[in-house]
Amino acid sequence: MKIKVLVSLLAIASALCASEAFAAAGGTLVVFYSRSGNTRAAAKIVQESLGGDIFELKTVRPYPADYRETTEAARKEQKENARPALQTKQAPKLSRYDSVILASPCWWGTFPMAFMTFFEANDLAGKKVAVLMTHGGSGLGRSEEDLAKYCPKAKLLKGLAIYGGDVNNAEEDIEEWLRNIGVK
């Protein structure tokens, strides 16, 4: 009799642990990099809309304050396939999230290379992942194609491009996009 009770208690405990682990997974993590503040503003709109968590990528060596110098540094990093050092490479426990929104400026048609450093340090396999790009005229560029290369086991959702100067008026567009891709 005692063994049956013990086995029953173990089964109940196991089921509770499994349900807690399942309940803990979910929600959305917003990962962003921002040089000028436009992408930060867009990422905050997403985070506030979803109530999820937010994680900022910060390079160890900041980019130049001058825009043209920054674009040249970004071009050089792309040509060299560089992986800029990040102050923190590891995101919060990704197992806690089922969706990840990547908010980024579009530099030379894609993510800043700091995101490549992030992709190599964090496994997004099995996550729903979408890109929100701020840009000065290039839209999403090839960011979605690059994301598919670096995160081949993620479930990629349709991205959104927002002109950098329009970020402060983009709340409705961002809300609609989040609903359309099924994370809100």
Side-chain angles (χ1 to χ4, degrees):
M1 181 74 166
K2 288 182 183 179
I3 292 176
K4 281 186 177 182
V5 170
L6 183 59
V7 169
S8 295
L9 288 173
L10 286 173
I12 291 169
S14 176
L16 284 173
C17 288
S19 67
E20 283 181 23
F22 180 77
T28 301
L29 175 65
V30 179
V31 177
F32 78 96
Y33 174 80
S34 184
R35 180 190 152 277
S36 68
N38 288 332
T39 307
R40 176 181 283 108
K44 292 246 184 225
I45 293 170
V46 172
Q47 187 264 331
E48 289 170 3
S49 175
L50 298 176
D53 295 330
I54 195 162
F55 178 70
E56 182 176 7
L57 299 181
K58 292 183 181 180
T59 54
V60 170
R61 265 187 22 191
Y63 289 94
D66 179 77
Y67 177 76
R68 293 276 179 229
E69 289 177 25
T70 295
T71 62
E72 289 309 311
R75 182 191 309 227
K76 182 178 181 204
E77 285 179 352
Q78 278 191 18
K79 284 183 179 180
E80 295 173 355
N81 202 24
R83 298 297 185 265
L86 300 177
Q87 290 180 19
T88 304
K89 287 183 191 178
Q90 290 294 138
K93 284 189 177 185
L94 288 173
S95 60
R96 295 180 15 207
Y97 307 99
D98 60 7
S99 302
V100 178
I101 304 293
L102 305 170
S104 173
C106 192
W107 287 0
W108 297 106
T110 193
F111 297 94
M113 296 307 285
F115 265 98
M116 304 316 160
T117 304
F118 172 79
F119 294 148
E120 290 176 358
N122 295 276
D123 185 8
L124 298 178
K127 306 291 178 202
K128 293 183 276 184
V129 181
V131 177
L132 186 161
M133 282 285 183
T134 58
H135 65 92
S138 59
L140 289 168
R142 66 179 185 282
S143 62
E144 292 178 308
E145 293 85 3
D146 287 346
L147 182 60
K149 281 192 296 191
Y150 285 99
C151 304
K153 294 183 180 177
K155 180 183 180 206
L156 305 182
L157 306 174
K158 183 175 173 35
L160 176 67
I162 299 174
Y163 188 77
D166 294 340
V167 167
N168 292 326
N169 299 315
E171 189 170 340
E172 286 181 25
D173 292 337
I174 292 172
E175 293 273 346
E176 181 180 351
W177 170 66
L178 293 170
R179 281 190 298 277
N180 287 341
I181 63 173
V183 296
K184 181 170 178 144

